[in-house]
Amino acid sequence: MGTPSQGSAAVTAARVDLCALDLMPVFAKEMIAGGVAGAFSKTAIAPLERVKILLQTRTNEFGSLGVLKSLKKLRQLDGVMGFYKGNGASVMRIVPYAALHFMAYERYRCWILNNCPSLGTGPLVDLLAGSASGGTAVLCTYPLDLARTKLAFQVNSSDELSRALKRGSPQPAYGGIIDVFRCVYSEGGVRALYRGPTLMGILPYAGLKFYIYEGLKVHVPEDYRSSVTLKLSCGAAAGLFGQTLTYPLDVVRRQMQVQNQQQHEQFGAPRITGTFQGLVSIKQTQGWKQLFAGLSLNYIKVVPSVAIGFTAYDTMKHLLKIPPREKNKV
């Protein structure tokens, strides 16, 4: 049994820890909560994310396969660890992205409430704040998303078609995230690190996600809003609806990220240079169905991803004792 002095020391240490948490700025707590939520949700669906990228970009090898057959083929080619190829870059991107996204959303939301009272306090505020925060976060982290896509695009192909494609249109064999940055920068400088319709797809999706999630929660009685099941359901609906509307833009972004000059010069394939030109080009050369390639897989992964993300963020806010939004105005 401890002495009174030991008990007193433990109480003092607990008070110091409590004070340190209380002294932490609210925006820092929001960033921590967002980063943890992002890393947790992204790692949970990493295998499905890898297959989705392959369905979107490697149309000759995976385009005719379904989700389960693609997973099986990927395991045969790259092994179990192949499911997480590029996940390091993905987590490195999602932690700062989610941290900035959630924190910026809270800050933009407070600013709108304080400076634009005519907009009210409804879902429209969440739509605007979510879109602005998505743009802010993606501009800071997009190069990591580019690296993740290029690493996930690589497959240790064994079939003759794949080897022929590699000989005719070689893609650089990247050794890691830093190697991707070095190669891409040598091709086109800083601008090349932002290849793809960076904001076109992110802004509407980010805004719709918050709009639907917060809008659904508003219609639920106050006593039930802390329910984990409710948060998971609202998050799943938000991700499902938001991704469906913006998915073709994501396909254009992925194909812009993995295209190279050799494909354009040797095969005469039209080079995607912009969002709308990319949509038209993909429809004409690959068919309109390619604009939705991997969408069924996206339905499978987006439900747990967004649901887990929102639920983890709300849980972290509670653990970090972040004040309710109504009491947290700038």
Side-chain angles (χ1 to χ4, degrees):
M1 189 170 180
T3 63
S5 60
Q6 291 176 329
S8 176
V11 172
T12 302
R15 287 176 179 172
V16 170
D17 291 339
L18 181 61
C19 290
L21 185 61
D22 291 339
L23 291 174
M24 184 181 297
V26 173
F27 78 87
K29 295 180 182 180
E30 291 167 350
M31 292 188 73
I32 293 173
V36 171
F40 192 71
S41 63
K42 183 61 68 175
T43 302
I45 52 88
L48 297 177
E49 179 69 17
R50 175 92 198 277
V51 170
K52 187 198 78 168
I53 291 176
L54 293 174
L55 288 173
Q56 288 179 328
T57 56
R58 283 185 173 270
T59 56
N60 292 303
E61 299 167 75
F62 290 86
S64 61
L65 302 179
V67 174
L68 294 179
K69 289 184 178 179
S70 294
L71 287 168
K72 183 178 179 180
K73 180 175 181 178
L74 184 60
R75 185 178 182 278
Q76 291 174 343
L77 296 175
D78 286 351
V80 175
M81 293 306 297
F83 292 140
Y84 295 90
K85 196 171 185 178
N87 189 55
S90 182
V91 172
M92 283 184 63
R93 180 193 72 89
I94 201 62
V95 169
Y97 173 82
L100 286 170
H101 192 185
F102 281 105
M103 183 276 291
Y105 162 75
E106 302 286 1
R107 299 301 97 203
Y108 283 130
R109 186 178 186 277
C110 289
W111 186 90
I112 293 172
L113 290 175
N114 289 333
N115 295 276
C116 304
S118 60
L119 295 176
T121 59
L124 178 60
V125 175
D126 298 304
L127 177 65
L128 296 175
S131 297
S133 63
T136 300
V138 78
L139 286 175
C140 295
T141 61
Y142 188 80
L144 288 171
D145 182 63
L146 176 66
R148 183 275 301 261
T149 300
K150 285 186 173 293
L151 289 171
F153 178 73
Q154 295 182 151
V155 176
N156 297 322
S157 302
S158 59
D159 56 293
E160 293 297 326
L161 175 60
S162 297
R163 288 198 291 268
L165 287 172
K166 282 187 175 181
R167 287 193 297 268
S169 178
Q171 283 276 358
Y174 300 110
I177 300 172
I178 303 300
D179 192 32
V180 173
F181 288 159
R182 189 182 69 253
C183 293
V184 173
Y185 182 81
S186 65
E187 291 176 3
V190 175
R191 187 175 181 178
L193 293 172
Y194 287 87
R195 181 181 298 154
T198 310
L199 297 178
M200 186 62 70
I202 296 295
L203 263 62
Y205 173 62
L208 284 171
K209 189 169 63 173
F210 280 100
Y211 176 85
I212 297 170
Y213 181 72
E214 298 296 338
L216 290 174
K217 288 204 305 181
V218 165
H219 294 87
V220 176
E222 187 73 31
D223 295 340
Y224 295 95
R225 292 182 187 176
S226 60
S227 168
V228 173
T229 302
L230 171 69
K231 293 175 182 177
L232 288 171
S233 300
C234 292
L240 197 65
F241 188 70
Q243 277 286 294
T244 301
L245 294 179
T246 62
Y247 192 80
L249 299 175
D250 189 51
V251 174
V252 175
R253 176 165 62 100
R254 297 299 181 196
Q255 293 209 10
M256 285 185 74
Q257 287 177 335
V258 301
Q259 71 182 352
N260 58 17
Q261 190 63 30
Q262 288 89 345
Q263 289 174 317
H264 177 60
E265 294 176 348
Q266 297 180 18
F267 291 94
R271 189 170 182 81
I272 300 175
T273 58
T275 303
F276 294 108
Q277 179 265 342
L279 290 170
V280 174
S281 176
I282 292 174
K283 179 180 179 298
Q284 292 177 342
T285 59
Q286 303 174 41
W288 66 268
K289 289 185 178 180
Q290 183 59 29
L291 292 172
F292 296 91
L295 181 58
S296 60
L297 176 60
N298 220 46
Y299 285 149
I300 297 173
K301 84 177 187 64
V302 82
V303 171
S305 176
V306 179
I308 291 172
F310 273 119
T311 304
Y313 177 66
D314 284 343
T315 301
M316 287 299 298
K317 284 176 65 178
H318 175 72
L319 293 175
L320 294 174
K321 299 181 180 180
I322 298 176
R325 289 187 182 125
E326 292 73 17
K327 298 179 183 179
N328 187 26
K329 292 185 180 182
V330 179

